[in-house]
Amino acid sequence: TFDRIAMNPPFEKDQDALHIERAAKLLRPGGRLVAIAGDGFRWRERGHAPKVRAALSEQGRLRLKELPSDTFLGTGVSVRTCLVVFDKPAA
C-alpha cells in the first residue's frame, strides 16, 4: 500500500475511472490520491465513473476540479481534463 499516489491514467473507455478505483484500494489510511482524468469523470452518468465517484465519496473526501481546456495544449493534446483528489481517512 502507498501513502501518496499521483497518476495520469488513460482516459479512453472509462479507463480513468477503473485505474482510479484500483489505485484508491492501494492507498493506506490517511493517504492521498491525486489524478488527472478525462473531464467526463466529473459528470458521466453511465459506465464506471459514477460508481467510482460514489464509492470514493463514501470512503473519504473526494474533490473534483475542472482544469482549463488548454492545460495540455503545449504537448499537442487538446482534451478536457479534471483534477481528482481523494483523501482516505486515517484508521
Side-chain angles (χ1 to χ4, degrees), residues 33-51:
L33 180 150
V34 177
I36 302 294
D39 192 49
F41 183 81
R42 289 186 320 119
W43 52 264
R44 279 193 306 256
E45 294 299 325
R46 294 179 182 229
H48 211 64
K51 297 171 193 166

Side-chain angles (χ1 to χ4, degrees), residues 21 24-25 48-62 86:
E21 178 182 51
K25 291 178 181 176
H48 211 64
K51 297 171 193 166
V52 174
R53 287 192 316 262
L56 294 180
S57 292
E58 290 175 11
Q59 296 170 23
R61 183 173 182 215
L62 176 65
F86 171 66

Side-chain angles (χ1 to χ4, degrees), residues 6-79:
M7 60 190 300
N8 183 6
F11 302 163
E12 273 186 331
K13 298 179 183 176
D14 239 4
Q15 289 183 68
D16 47 2
L18 294 169
H19 280 77
I20 290 168
E21 178 182 51
R22 176 70 177 130
K25 291 178 181 176
L26 298 173
L27 200 59
R28 285 189 183 134
R32 173 175 279 184
L33 180 150
V34 177
I36 302 294
D39 192 49
F41 183 81
R42 289 186 320 119
W43 52 264
R44 279 193 306 256
E45 294 299 325
R46 294 179 182 229
H48 211 64
K51 297 171 193 166
V52 174
R53 287 192 316 262
L56 294 180
S57 292
E58 290 175 11
Q59 296 170 23
R61 183 173 182 215
L62 176 65
R63 290 165 293 175
L64 304 171
K65 180 180 180 185
E66 180 181 9
L67 295 174
S69 59
D70 61 353
T71 298
F72 294 101
L73 201 54
T75 64
V77 176
S78 177
V79 61

